[in-house]
């Protein structure tokens, strides 16, 4: 298929067996045709020689790009916003010029083409080097895939429509155009679809190829086929890119142990993947942010609610009111409490007392296991981390009767304002600000605004925050708690530990 | 990602709630003596009538003989099976001990509809093991889809055994009779035999690869909109929610996604499960399962978001069709049967309507006189037409009214059950330990006729066998036990379903193999 047998290609290849030699030949043919497009599906590994310096430098440059993308994705940036913010980074580390309009006849023309080729080569090679470094673990593969897919979508979006069309044509994706008769038959259904225009062309593909469009009900689906308008073709290409890369990564991973690698490469590759993942392992034991080493007991929780962000406050109040929380609410709250330093023994006491109308027997049968599981004491014994705002915002939106999630996102505006007011926020300016933030979908900012208001007195007494602003945006409920607690107890704010950790999560 | 929430769903706890158990108790004490007698009778019968299992075993041998015509094969296989079973038992016992440790001492045994002996009799005489095996194998004889399939038992002491697997339907049967679980669940097919997963050097190779696409609809999720019952209780009125859900989901799966083999099962108390068994559905990965689930999910938002349905206009064809199905039933099943807004002058309905002027006019009207839901629903239009609000956008009002219908009637799915390939779901024909009712199939075409309160209880079924034997025992005719009972139509429907599935599977297989021959 995509010649995944030789993903090591970027190095000096002594083709020892014929199979590799063949691959090398055919790939070389392709490579020698240079890079006709800015976009690349990375189907064929590179085969030419590069110096060790280039090898390392290119990979580092690409990692910078991917790292930036990952950060932006964490902040919920998508689509055009992502593209705008990525532009300077891409221009600096991985520029890709358009095809020069000059012919190769003139000196300038030749130079322009040559620069183009170099840029695209760097893009091509660096992709494969990083792919090699990141194929090692499931976790790394997943992150690599996510970032590369986002990178591709940014580039695809910014490509000229002509170049796009040409690129898609050459990919040769199997897409059956919908005939007139069929289009007429489903005229009503198709007419109401997203992206439909009077004379749009429609393509019929198996729905499995555009799961993201099906998920959002953006396409008409009939008997297993999705009807995709040409305006949504990008999504099809995107899906194909992700799918192929995912498959290739899997193959690369399987081939890894068999690589007879150059002793100079291994350390570089290891180092590269380490740079991206180190913090993850480092902070693994560091989830508890207990305060001054004090232990927190179940009885203290009610007194600490004043330091909780609205999401946790809401969970706590719901728990106190109804004597119960549904599963995801329990999970979100348990992990948060674990994060502020509640031990598993205390957590069991806390929940046992909180659940009204539940017999001991039932509690032990149905909830005890769950709580211990959250602490990594049951089942696969993973030490789960407290959920970050990112996770709370995107994973498992609350269903009917559920209380978890982010109030700024999941409450109706009236209920949200009432909830914020119950935290003592009564200044109109602040409330309007919250409204505005929420409407602009800047849920962090709204939460931050509430924090700044409720802790305005304390903030003013701390150097660097006298203007009443917190500076950095809070992106983790435990960070909110920690900052609030420290402010009230007159401790230096400093960089939050939760923050550092959170960045690397996922 | 396996997270704590999965654990909960794996355990799929049915809340034993106050009223139902109380009910169960009183009933049982009434019939206890009779039952006791029956059970004793049955036990003696079981002793003398070991014939049943033997007959089955012989049949299988015959079949296998025909297929392989090789006696040695059987012997070898048997030895291997015995060995496997021994190992499995050991493992299971070990696990049992582990599991029991973390549980607290089992509560005093409560009398329920389904006590140990009844269950044992049910599994040994009535449970359709063969059909179940064919169903999971998609073939008359067990295939790897069965061998590598995970089963999980919940034992009477609430210990939970996972990663069990069986070679044949008889193995499964034996183990169930030995451990007498209060219920068991079916999980995915793995790359390897789940029992041997620990013996593998490379754990990464042990992965789930295939499982039916499943949906779980539970009446507790309807609590915000149902007024007749709450929690685990159900009545005919609120069962309508499930009937409507089956109609809407079933047609979407068939028309939109092209699935054909969809089995609906009553979950034994207050909901229904769908098993989509088409090969294509079985092979879907998590992402695609998520895509289908979100496609079908419309009612969203937690307790604090007022409006739970927010759909784009123009309506997606799936939603438009669902609305067509639900709208004609709205008056009878919601407004009249549930009367959700009758009690309050500012019902939840007020929060779902646009235009403050209209809402305040309505509130005033409803404050002055008590109006039931049917009246309130018509009030909306009459008040709107009377021109209380000049800014009223009639299109927005129409959309809002459609959203109300969807919020009150559209199926509410437990999404997490559907999304994860490795999620376990209670097997069909298991007895619900709380109600004693059998998890029987629901015929999709006749979903309206299905009455959850008429589903046979295990105790009734066993009585029926005895009655049949008393009256109609005929000579020379082999009648299987389930044929003598009220379980008969359900098993027959299941058999038709499995036959249809196997036929399609065979055809598909031939086509696939035909294709590969051409290369």
């Amino acid at each position: 298929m995509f010649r995944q047998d030789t993903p090591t290609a970027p190095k000096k290849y002594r083709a020892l067996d014929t199979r590799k030699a063949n691959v090398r030949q055919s790939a070389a043919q392709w490579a020698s045709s240079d890079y006709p497009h800015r976009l690349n599906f990375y189907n064929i590994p590179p085969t030419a020689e590069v110096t060790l310096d280039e090898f390392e430098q290119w990979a580092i440059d690409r990692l910078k790009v991917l790292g930036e993308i990952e950060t932006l994705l964490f902040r919920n940036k998508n689509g055009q916003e992502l593209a705008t913010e990525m532009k300077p980074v891409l221009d600096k580390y991985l520029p890709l010029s358009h095809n020069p309009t000059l012919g190769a006849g003139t000196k300038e023309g030749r130079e322009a083409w040559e620069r183009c080729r170099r840029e695209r080569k760097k893009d091509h090679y660096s992709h494969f080097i990083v792919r090699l470094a990141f194929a090692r673990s499931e976790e790394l593969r997943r992150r690599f895939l996510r970032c590369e897919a986002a990178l591709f979508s940014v580039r695809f979006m910014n490509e000229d429509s002509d170049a796009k069309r040409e690129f898609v044509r050459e990919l040769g994706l199997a897409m059956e155009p919908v005939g007139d008769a069929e289009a007429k038959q489903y005229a009503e259904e198709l007419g109401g679809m997203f992206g439909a225009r009077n004379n749009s062309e429609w393509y019929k593909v198996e729905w499995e190829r555009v799961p993201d469009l099906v998920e959002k009900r953006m396409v008409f689906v009939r008997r297993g086929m999705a009807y995709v308008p040409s305006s949504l073709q990008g999504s099809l290409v995107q899906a194909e890119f992700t799918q192929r890369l995912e498959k290739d990564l899997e193959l690369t991973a399987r081939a890894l142990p068999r690589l007879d690698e150059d002793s100079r490469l291994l350390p570089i590759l290891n180092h590269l993947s380490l740079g991206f993942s180190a913090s993850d392992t480092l902070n693994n034991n560091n989830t508890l942010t207990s305060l001054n080493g004090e232990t927190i007991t179940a009885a203290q929780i009610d007194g600490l609610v004043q330091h909780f962000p609205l999401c946790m406050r809401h969970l706590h109040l719901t728990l106190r009111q109804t004597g119960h929380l549904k599963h995801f609410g329990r999970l979100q709250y348990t992990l948060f409490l674990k994060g502020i330093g509640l031990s598993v023994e205390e957590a069991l006491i806390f929940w046992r007392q909180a659940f009204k109308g539940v017999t001991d027997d039932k509690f032990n049968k149905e909830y005890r296991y769950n709580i211990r599981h959250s602490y990594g004491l049951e089942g696969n014994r993973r030490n789960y981390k407290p959920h970050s705002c990112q996770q709370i915002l995107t994973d498992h939106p609350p269903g009917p009767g559920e209380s978890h999630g982010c109030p700024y996102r999941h409450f109706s505006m009236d209920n949200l304002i009432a909830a914020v007011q119950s935290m003592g926020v009564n200044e109109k300016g602040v409330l309007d600000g919250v409204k505005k933030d929420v409407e602009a979908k800047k849920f962090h900012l709204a939460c931050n605004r509430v924090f700044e208001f409720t802790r305005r007195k304390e903030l003013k007494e701390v150097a660097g925050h006298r203007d009443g602003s917190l500076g950095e945006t809070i992106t983790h409920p435990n960070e909110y708690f920690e900052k609030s607690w420290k402010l009230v107890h007159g401790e230096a704010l400093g960089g939050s530990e939760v923050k550092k950790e959170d960045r690397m999560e996922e | 990602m396996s997270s704590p929430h999965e654990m909960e769903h794996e355990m799929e706890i049915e809340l034993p709630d106050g009223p139902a158990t109380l009910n169960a108790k009183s009933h049982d004490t009434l019939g206890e003596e009779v039952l006791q007698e029956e059970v004793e009778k049955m036990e003696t019968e079981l002793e003398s009538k070991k014939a049943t299992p033997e007959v089955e075993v012989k049949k299988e041998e015959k079949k296998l003989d025909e297929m392989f015509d090789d006696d040695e094969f059987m012997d070898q296989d048997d030895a291997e099976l015995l060995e496997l079973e021994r190992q499995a038992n050991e493992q299971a016992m070990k696990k049992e001990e582990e599991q029991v440790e973390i549980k607290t001492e089992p509560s005093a045994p409560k009398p329920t509809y389904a006590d140990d002996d009844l269950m044992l009799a049910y599994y040994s005489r009535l449970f359709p093991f063969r059909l179940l095996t064919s169903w999971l194998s998609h073939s008359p004889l067990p295939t790897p889809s069965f061998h590598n399939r995970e089963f999980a038992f919940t034992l009477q002491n609430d210990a939970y055994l996972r990663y069990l697997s069986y070679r044949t339907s008889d193995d499964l049967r034996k183990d169930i009779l030995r451990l007498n679980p209060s219920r068991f669940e079916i999980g995915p097919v793995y790359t390897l035999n789940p029992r041997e997963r620990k013996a593998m050097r490379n754990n990464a190779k042990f992965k789930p690869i295939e499982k039916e696409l499943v949906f779980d609809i539970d009446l507790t999720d309807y609590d915000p909109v149902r007024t007749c019952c709450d929690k685990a209780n159900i009545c005919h009125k609120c069962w309508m929610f499930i009937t409507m859900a089956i109609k809407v989901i079933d047609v979407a799966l068939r028309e939109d996604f092209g699935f054909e083999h969809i089995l609906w099962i009553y979950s034994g108390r207050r909901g229904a499960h769908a098993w989509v068994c088409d090969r294509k559905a079985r092979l879907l990965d998590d992402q695609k399962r998520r895509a289908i689930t979100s496609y079908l999910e419309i009612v969203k938002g937690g307790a604090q978001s007022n409006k739970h349905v927010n759909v784009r206009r123009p309506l997606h064809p799936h939603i438009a069709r669902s609305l067509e199905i639900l709208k004609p039933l709205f008056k009878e099943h919601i407004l009249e049967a549930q009367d959700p807004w009758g009690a309050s002058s500012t019902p939840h309905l007020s929060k779902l309507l646009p235009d403050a002027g209209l809402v305040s006019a309505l509130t005033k009207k409803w404050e002055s006189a008590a109006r039931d839901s049917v009246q309130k629903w018509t009030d909306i239009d009459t008040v709107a037409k009377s021109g209380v609000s000049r800014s009223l956008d009639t299109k927005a009002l129409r959309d809002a009214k459609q959203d109300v219908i969807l919020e009150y009637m559209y199926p509410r799915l437990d999404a997490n059950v559907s999304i994860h390939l490795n999620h376990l779901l209670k097997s069909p024909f298991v007895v619900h330990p709380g109600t004693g009712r059998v998890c029987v199939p629901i015929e999709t075409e006749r979903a309206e006729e299905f009455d959850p309160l008429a589903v046979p209880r295990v105790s009734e079924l066993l009585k029926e066998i005895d009655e049949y034997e008393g009256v109609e025992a005929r000579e020379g005719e082999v009648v299987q036990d389930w044929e003598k009972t009220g379980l008969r139509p359900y098993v027959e429907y299941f058999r038709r379903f499995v036959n249809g599935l196997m036929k399609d599977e065979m055809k598909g297989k031939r086509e696939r193999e035909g294709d590969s021959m051409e290369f």
Side-chain angles (χ1 to χ4, degrees):
Chain A
M1 266 187 75
F2 306 124
R3 303 186 183 80
Q4 270 307 310
D5 298 326
T6 59
T8 55
K11 219 14 218 172
K12 0 178 69 190
Y13 238 81
R14 308 233 155 67
L16 291 176
D17 61 77
T18 45
R19 189 171 52 99
K20 283 185 182 169
N22 284 340
V23 167
R24 190 181 163 196
Q25 212 172 20
S26 62
Q29 268 165 11
W30 183 86
S32 69
S33 72
D34 273 346
Y35 303 92
H37 303 292
R38 293 166 76 206
L39 296 168
N40 195 337
F41 245 51
Y42 310 111
N43 285 337
I44 300 169
T47 50
E49 295 191 3
V50 295
T51 69
L52 267 182
D53 281 348
E54 278 173 327
F55 184 90
E56 194 166 3
Q57 191 52 48
W58 288 356
I60 290 173
D61 283 353
R62 194 178 194 89
L63 275 186
K64 284 190 178 136
V65 170
L66 297 182
E68 188 63 28
I69 288 190
E70 188 168 51
T71 320
L72 290 173
L73 288 176
F74 276 155
R75 290 204 215 128
N76 235 349
K77 300 268 155 100
N78 261 314
Q80 199 52 53
E81 223 178 345
L82 182 67
T84 325
E85 299 219 13
M86 278 310 293
K87 193 167 182 308
V89 186
L90 279 173
D91 286 347
K92 185 162 174 211
Y93 293 110
L94 274 179
L96 285 178
S97 310
H98 288 283
N99 285 349
T101 43
L102 294 165
T106 61
K107 187 164 171 266
E108 288 86 15
R110 256 201 311 284
E111 270 170 14
W113 277 104
E114 179 55 29
R115 194 181 63 236
C116 224
R117 201 187 64 82
R118 266 203 317 274
E119 286 169 0
R120 290 171 194 184
K121 182 175 174 189
K122 179 179 172 186
D123 175 54
H124 182 211
Y125 280 53
S126 63
H127 169 90
F128 274 93
I129 300 166
V130 179
R131 185 194 283 195
L132 204 52
F134 276 52
R136 268 142 226 277
S137 77
E138 171 97 41
E139 167 80 6
L140 285 171
R141 284 200 294 276
R142 207 164 49 81
R143 291 166 67 193
F144 177 69
L145 186 67
R146 190 164 169 232
C147 297
E148 280 285 340
L151 176 62
F152 181 83
S153 84
V154 164
R155 286 174 165 173
F156 189 82
M157 204 159 49
N158 290 343
E159 189 60 296
D160 315 330
S161 51
D162 282 351
K164 239 193 262 186
R165 199 172 309 129
E166 187 62 13
F167 177 71
V168 172
R169 197 181 56 77
E170 277 181 32
L171 277 178
L173 302 178
M175 283 187 284
E176 187 190 331
V178 176
D180 286 344
E182 202 177 358
K184 225 172 248 158
Q185 185 194 344
Y186 291 129
E188 196 186 329
E189 284 90 345
L190 292 176
M193 288 318 310
F194 186 84
R197 296 191 194 107
N198 276 340
N199 51 354
S200 4
E201 287 171 45
W202 297 87
Y203 296 97
K204 206 158 96 170
V205 297
E206 286 183 21
W207 77 266
E208 284 102 328
R209 280 180 52 196
V210 283
D212 56 326
L213 295 181
V214 172
E215 182 165 346
K216 295 185 203 127
R217 256 179 265 120
M218 282 167 76
V219 285
F220 169 58
V221 192
R222 184 61 20 122
R223 300 224 52 89
M225 301 301 268
Y227 292 67
V228 184
S230 46
S231 56
L232 288 179
Q233 211 186 27
S235 171
L236 209 64
V237 177
Q238 182 73 43
E240 187 72 20
F241 178 85
T242 317
Q243 213 167 39
R244 286 197 195 177
L245 184 54
E246 191 174 7
K247 214 183 282 168
D248 288 359
L249 274 171
E250 195 79 15
L251 289 169
T252 312
R254 254 183 261 166
L256 270 182
R258 289 190 275 115
L259 292 182
D260 40 8
E261 262 179 304
D262 195 308
S263 58
R264 293 168 299 175
L265 284 190
L266 212 54
I268 298 182
L269 289 175
N270 282 338
H271 191 72
L272 285 176
S273 59
L274 213 67
F276 221 48
S277 66
S279 37
D280 202 38
T281 42
L282 269 181
N283 278 318
N284 246 351
N285 311 323
N286 201 14
T287 26
L288 297 189
T289 57
S290 50
L291 309 163
N292 290 346
E294 280 176 47
T295 50
I296 296 176
T297 63
Q300 285 171 303
I301 303 282
D302 283 300
L304 290 171
V305 173
Q306 52 157 321
H307 301 295
F308 288 7
L310 185 52
C311 51
M312 301 304 167
R313 186 184 148 86
H314 175 62
L315 284 171
H316 185 84
L317 297 181
T318 311
L319 178 65
R320 287 288 180 245
Q321 246 165 42
T322 63
H324 192 260
L325 279 183
K326 289 213 171 192
H327 173 73
F328 285 113
R330 259 170 10 237
L331 182 65
Q332 182 176 328
Y333 196 36
T334 307
L335 291 179
F336 171 78
L337 292 179
K338 173 176 151 187
I340 69 171
L342 195 70
S343 67
V344 65
E345 293 78 18
E346 289 295 322
L348 285 168
I349 296 173
F350 173 76
W351 287 103
R352 177 59 281 230
Q353 289 169 343
F355 276 12
K356 308 254 164 58
V358 171
T359 60
D360 277 351
D361 189 39
K362 184 172 160 176
F363 181 83
N364 284 330
K365 249 195 246 167
E366 296 176 13
Y367 303 109
R368 197 184 146 84
Y369 183 92
N370 252 224
I371 294 160
R372 287 174 49 85
H373 192 276
S374 309
Y375 275 81
L377 297 168
E378 301 285 1
N380 65 6
R381 298 187 176 248
R382 251 184 68 187
N383 194 6
Y384 295 96
K385 290 175 195 156
H387 290 172
S388 63
C389 292
Q390 173 69 15
Q391 282 169 297
I392 293 174
L393 282 165
T394 52
D395 298 356
H396 311 293
E402 290 183 314
S403 314
H404 67 276
C406 172
Y408 297 96
R409 175 169 190 170
H410 298 120
F411 277 23
S412 70
M413 191 61 85
D414 296 347
N415 289 343
L416 173 65
I417 295 299
V420 171
Q421 278 170 334
S422 78
M423 290 175 86
V425 182
N426 38 30
E427 214 166 85
K428 188 160 180 307
V430 180
L431 290 173
D432 286 345
V434 168
K435 254 188 216 168
K436 218 173 68 216
D437 291 338
V438 170
E439 271 154 18
K441 303 214 176 305
K442 310 263 185 226
F443 309 111
H444 297 131
L445 290 186
C447 190
N448 235 47
R449 203 180 284 275
V450 170
F451 181 94
E452 282 169 0
F453 184 81
T454 49
R455 291 279 164 262
R456 62 192 180 286
K457 257 189 262 143
E458 290 86 352
L459 267 174
K460 287 214 174 87
E461 285 160 24
V462 183
H465 299 284
R466 292 198 205 286
D467 56 349
S469 98
L470 197 54
E472 221 176 347
T473 320
I474 294 173
T475 56
H476 198 299
N478 287 75
E479 190 188 350
Y480 186 109
F481 173 82
E482 198 182 328
K483 287 222 159 108
S484 172
W485 197 87
K486 280 185 178 167
L487 275 172
V488 171
H489 293 77
E491 278 184 36
L493 275 178
S496 161
E497 281 179 33
V498 193
K499 183 97 179 178
K500 276 185 244 149
E501 198 182 306
D502 175 47
R503 274 279 157 76
M504 303 307 166
E505 228 177 85
E506 288 280 314
Chain B
M1 191 182 92
S2 144
S3 56
H5 76 260
E6 251 167 57
M7 279 314 302
E8 178 173 88
H9 280 287
E10 274 156 15
M11 308 186 76
E12 225 226 343
I13 296 148
E14 304 270 2
L15 300 171
D17 49 288
T21 16
L22 275 179
N23 216 352
K25 257 183 210 162
S26 60
H27 254 270
D28 232 35
T29 34
L30 273 178
E32 204 160 49
E33 280 178 11
V34 191
L35 285 181
Q36 199 58 41
E37 268 177 42
E38 266 175 31
V39 169
E40 272 163 26
K41 215 200 288 176
M42 234 135 36
E43 269 170 357
T44 43
E45 266 171 17
L46 265 180
E47 288 296 311
S48 61
K49 255 204 163 190
K50 282 251 166 95
T52 334
E54 266 169 35
V55 169
E56 275 187 44
V57 171
K58 262 182 205 149
K59 256 193 232 154
E60 177 147 314
E61 267 177 30
K62 209 170 150 199
K63 247 194 221 157
L64 282 171
D65 278 352
E66 278 163 17
M67 293 208 66
F68 299 101
D69 204 26
D70 183 356
D71 284 332
E72 264 178 49
F73 171 83
M74 277 307 293
D75 293 344
Q76 214 183 344
D77 213 29
D78 271 348
E80 204 182 308
L81 278 177
L82 275 177
E83 174 59 19
L84 265 177
E85 173 145 42
R86 196 187 55 74
Q87 285 172 1
N89 287 349
E90 269 177 25
Q91 223 174 3
M93 294 307 283
K94 236 184 262 162
K95 250 201 278 171
E96 242 169 285
E97 284 160 21
E98 278 171 27
Q99 293 276 354
V100 173
E101 267 173 24
I102 57 156
K103 303 281 171 187
T104 48
E105 65 279 24
S107 49
K110 284 180 239 160
T112 54
Y113 278 116
D115 67 24
D116 297 10
D117 298 333
L118 281 179
M119 293 288 239
L120 208 55
Y122 171 77
Y123 283 118
S124 73
R125 301 190 63 175
L126 288 167
F127 191 92
F129 284 104
R130 287 296 185 75
L131 268 179
L132 189 86
T133 310
S134 304
W135 170 54
L136 294 175
S137 307
H138 337 292
S139 148
L141 289 175
T143 60
S145 285
F146 185 77
H147 305 148
N148 294 345
R149 172 85 69 163
E150 174 181 358
F151 288 86
F153 290 6
T154 307
L155 301 186
Q156 305 284 354
N157 62 4
D158 281 327
Y160 190 63
L161 307 185
R162 283 198 56 183
Y163 299 115
L164 308 173
S165 65
Y166 301 94
R167 291 290 298 255
T168 63
S169 66
D170 271 358
D171 282 358
L172 173 62
R173 182 171 182 277
K174 270 184 222 153
D175 219 23
I176 285 183
L177 295 183
R178 183 176 64 86
L179 293 169
N180 195 14
S182 59
R183 54 193 278 181
F184 69 93
E185 291 171 332
I186 297 174
V189 180
Y190 284 89
T191 42
L192 306 161
N193 186 338
R195 285 198 194 262
E196 292 162 26
R197 77 194 188 287
K198 288 224 171 104
M200 297 313 296
R201 263 179 303 127
N202 189 351
N203 243 339
K205 275 192 193 145
F206 181 73
K207 274 195 298 212
I209 43 174
E210 136 175 14
K211 198 197 64 192
E212 289 73 11
L213 172 64
V214 294
F215 294 96
D216 180 8
I217 305 168
D218 193 312
L219 270 176
T220 35
D221 290 325
Y222 288 84
D223 280 353
V225 293
R226 68 171 172 161
T227 55
C228 52
C229 312
D230 67 346
K231 299 195 177 141
N233 303 310
I234 64 164
C235 66
H236 291 117
K237 280 185 192 169
C238 54
W239 182 254
M240 274 314 296
F241 286 114
I242 302 290
T243 311
M244 293 185 293
I246 292 178
K247 287 178 143 196
V248 169
I249 299 294
D250 192 78
V251 73
L253 291 172
R254 283 177 209 274
E255 280 187 9
D256 298 358
F257 293 96
F259 296 131
E260 286 168 16
H261 301 282
I262 305 168
L263 181 67
W264 287 93
I265 300 284
Y266 173 51
S267 70
R269 177 171 268 177
R270 49 171 178 190
H273 301 156
W275 297 76
V276 186
C277 309
D278 297 60
R279 187 182 143 82
K280 264 191 145 180
R282 298 198 310 263
L283 294 176
L284 293 174
D285 60 24
D286 281 8
Q287 190 207 1
K288 296 189 183 106
R289 282 169 204 256
R290 180 192 297 276
I292 294 198
T293 312
S294 311
Y295 178 88
L296 296 173
E297 214 178 15
I298 290 178
V299 185
K300 286 178 190 158
Q304 291 297 316
S305 62
N306 288 334
K307 205 158 177 281
H308 294 91
V309 173
N310 288 297
V311 285
R312 250 194 329 263
R313 312 289 154 157
L315 287 178
H316 184 274
H318 161 63
I319 302 179
R321 176 188 51 210
S322 306
L323 200 60
E324 284 307 304
I325 299 174
L326 299 173
K327 216 168 158 183
L329 306 168
F330 184 63
K331 183 158 175 266
E332 181 188 349
H333 294 309
I334 301 297
L335 298 180
E336 289 172 4
Q338 298 291 340
D339 191 10
W341 312 308
S344 159
S345 63
T346 50
H348 181 57
L349 174 65
S350 314
K351 294 184 192 147
L352 303 178
L353 296 174
D355 200 280
L358 172 69
V359 173
S360 67
L362 283 171
T363 312
K364 216 186 273 168
K365 186 177 171 91
W366 295 339
E367 267 166 2
S368 61
R371 311 273 287 166
D372 66 21
S373 296
V374 182
Q375 291 165 326
K376 279 182 177 150
W377 185 245
T378 47
D379 285 347
I380 298 174
D381 280 340
T382 34
V383 172
K385 274 193 197 119
S386 72
V388 283
S389 164
R390 231 175 274 159
S391 61
L392 183 71
D393 176 352
T394 46
K395 206 174 149 290
L397 182 62
R398 192 203 62 197
D399 291 352
K401 283 181 71 182
Q402 288 178 343
D403 288 351
V404 171
I405 297 182
L406 290 172
E407 173 157 350
Y408 278 82
M409 300 177 90
Y410 190 86
R412 300 178 173 215
L413 301 170
D414 185 344
N416 292 298
V417 177
S418 308
I419 290 170
H420 299 289
L421 179 57
N422 59 358
H423 203 106
L424 296 127
L425 194 65
K426 193 162 54 177
S427 163
F429 290 101
V430 157
V431 174
H432 189 291
T435 62
R437 297 198 193 276
V438 181
C439 300
V440 294
I442 302 172
E443 276 188 65
T444 326
E445 304 80 45
R446 298 161 58 194
E448 292 94 341
E449 296 165 33
F450 185 85
D451 178 1
L453 303 177
V455 167
R457 287 204 161 98
V458 63
S459 49
E460 296 158 7
L461 291 172
L462 294 168
K463 213 184 286 172
E464 280 169 20
I465 301 184
D466 296 337
E467 280 163 8
Y468 182 95
E469 271 160 14
V471 183
E472 299 178 61
R474 272 170 255 171
E475 270 177 46
E477 209 176 326
V478 184
V479 182
Q480 301 220 346
D481 278 339
W482 57 262
E483 291 181 86
K484 303 168 187 167
T485 68
L487 207 56
R488 180 172 181 159
Y490 301 108
V491 175
E492 281 173 349
Y493 172 77
F494 187 48
R495 182 157 62 190
R496 285 201 300 281
F497 178 85
V498 174
N499 281 341
L501 175 67
M502 289 194 296
K503 219 163 113 192
D504 247 26
E505 196 72 16
M506 230 102 94
K507 208 170 81 192
K509 205 170 162 193
R510 233 178 288 133
E511 273 164 22
R512 279 198 300 283
E513 275 161 11
D515 277 356
S516 61
M517 299 285 273
E518 281 165 28
F519 278 100

